[in-house]
Amino acid sequence: MKIVTSIEELRDQLRGQLRTAFVPTMGNLHEGHLSLMRLARTHGDPIVASIFVNRLQFGPNDDFDKYPRTFQSDVEKLEKEGVYVLFAPSEQELYPEPQEFRVRPPDDLGNMLEGEFRPGFFTGVTTIVLKLLSCVQPKVAVFGKKDYQQLMIVRNMARQFALPTEIVAAETYRAEDGLALSSRNGYLSEAERAEAPQLYLALDHIAAQVRAGNRNLAQLEAAAMTSLKARGWNPDYIAVRKRSNLQEPDATDLAQGAPLVTLAAAKLGITRLIDNLEI
């Protein structure tokens, strides 16, 4: 595996490659990330991964400085997955001057759910994703469904900018007890790790109720919030939305069987976990 740190060197390595498959990450890799590499291999060749902790998507109260950085371990894992190039730029390389041009998602998608609780987060995400896609110029790029809203925003951005990159969605990778794998799971204490699957179970219960014909979504959402609070969680949101645009479904949508997804974000101790489940 070649490790490159400059955009110029990256482009030299990829010159003439027409089927590059790209997986952007912030490092601290786990099995969920590696599953993205495997999916990428089915869509293109060579495989390019990036590791870059993007300051632009961290708010003033977020954990940028504390975000786990495990570069050597990450390199070993990527080598085992047959990644061809690892792009690991410094901040100075990607932001040699203040990033005054930014990509801002539309308010009706970017300011709800995660966007409501993390102002500016998706502007930071879309800005760095567009920049990385410009650097790598891949045929496909793989993003996980665990970050469902992020996936939708990136996919819409790529379409509206007519980028020559197909955005491929990867299913959420879960532990045996249902917990979605996340780099932030490492912040959980032993007791919190045992409790953490309750977030997925809350979503699964809502999904089962909706499949059984329960259309009182507000009641289902409120009950799930109450149940998590009683267990010591501090939930930000639990919401059932349309998969097509993450807007709230109305009676007509429900009557016509519009595809739905239930999404959640909640703190357990100091750790904020997100998850979703398609219905």
Side-chain angles (χ1 to χ4, degrees):
M1 182 175 73
K2 299 176 176 63
I3 301 173
V4 300
T5 58
S6 74
I7 297 170
E8 181 180 6
E9 187 180 3
L10 174 71
R11 288 177 173 163
D12 282 343
Q13 286 292 337
L14 297 178
R15 187 164 286 115
Q17 299 285 359
L18 302 178
R19 299 183 61 250
T20 301
F22 176 47
V23 183
T25 83
M26 292 206 300
N28 193 28
L29 303 182
H30 50 66
E31 191 62 28
H33 293 110
L34 302 182
S35 72
L36 303 185
M37 308 297 164
R38 295 166 199 148
L39 179 60
R41 186 175 294 108
T42 69
H43 287 270
D45 181 68
I47 310 303
V48 176
S50 66
I51 293 177
F52 181 70
V53 184
N54 177 42
R55 189 185 297 270
L56 293 186
Q57 68 195 66
F58 286 77
N61 298 319
D62 285 340
D63 53 357
F64 176 79
D65 291 326
K66 295 181 180 178
Y67 193 85
R69 291 158 171 84
T70 54
F71 187 76
Q72 191 53 48
S73 172
D74 293 343
V75 166
E76 294 170 3
K77 292 173 181 176
L78 293 175
E79 285 180 331
K80 289 179 181 178
E81 293 300 326
V83 170
Y84 174 61
V85 171
L86 169 60
F87 182 42
S90 65
E91 280 194 281
Q92 180 62 29
E93 178 67 19
L94 278 190
Y95 302 130
E97 57 186 287
Q99 188 67 37
E100 295 167 340
F101 286 88
R102 309 241 179 147
V103 181
R104 179 181 153 190
D107 290 345
D108 63 350
L109 182 57
N111 289 345
M112 67 162 83
L113 302 174
E114 282 298 284
E116 177 182 350
F117 289 91
R118 302 181 69 184
F121 170 69
F122 286 122
T123 295
V125 168
T126 48
T127 299
I128 187 59
V129 169
L130 183 61
K131 195 157 195 175
L132 287 171
L133 293 178
S134 175
C135 294
V136 178
Q137 300 181 19
K139 175 180 178 285
V140 299
V142 179
F143 290 81
K145 281 189 179 181
K146 186 181 79 71
D147 299 288
Y148 204 90
Q149 189 175 5
Q150 172 179 284
L151 169 64
M152 179 171 288
I153 287 173
V154 167
R155 181 171 274 162
N156 290 357
M157 177 189 72
R159 185 185 67 251
Q160 290 196 9
F161 279 112
L163 300 181
T165 300
E166 176 190 357
I167 305 301
V168 174
E171 296 297 329
T172 300
Y173 199 98
R174 298 184 182 278
E176 289 186 3
D177 57 10
L179 178 65
L181 295 199
S182 168
S183 297
R184 288 188 169 90
N185 291 352
Y187 298 152
L188 297 168
S189 68
E190 185 176 348
E192 289 167 346
R193 174 61 186 83
E195 171 65 20
Q198 292 298 322
L199 185 63
Y200 169 73
L201 293 177
L203 297 180
D204 191 48
H205 177 73
I206 290 175
Q209 288 289 307
V210 173
R211 292 189 192 108
N214 189 335
R215 296 296 179 258
N216 192 337
L217 304 184
Q219 183 183 66
L220 291 172
E221 293 165 353
M225 295 273 284
T226 299
S227 176
L228 285 178
K229 287 178 181 176
R231 301 183 67 93
W233 293 72
N234 181 19
D236 285 338
Y237 61 83
I238 298 178
V240 179
R241 298 295 176 91
K242 292 188 289 185
R243 290 189 213 172
S244 60
N245 57 13
L246 295 189
Q247 300 300 309
E248 295 181 24
D250 58 25
T252 301
D253 295 320
L254 296 176
Q256 294 178 347
L260 304 175
V261 58
T262 179
L263 309 102
K267 273 190 175 180
L268 185 58
I270 64 170
T271 307
R272 186 174 185 272
L273 302 178
I274 68 169
D275 204 352
N276 65 80
L277 189 61
E278 292 181 332
I279 301 174

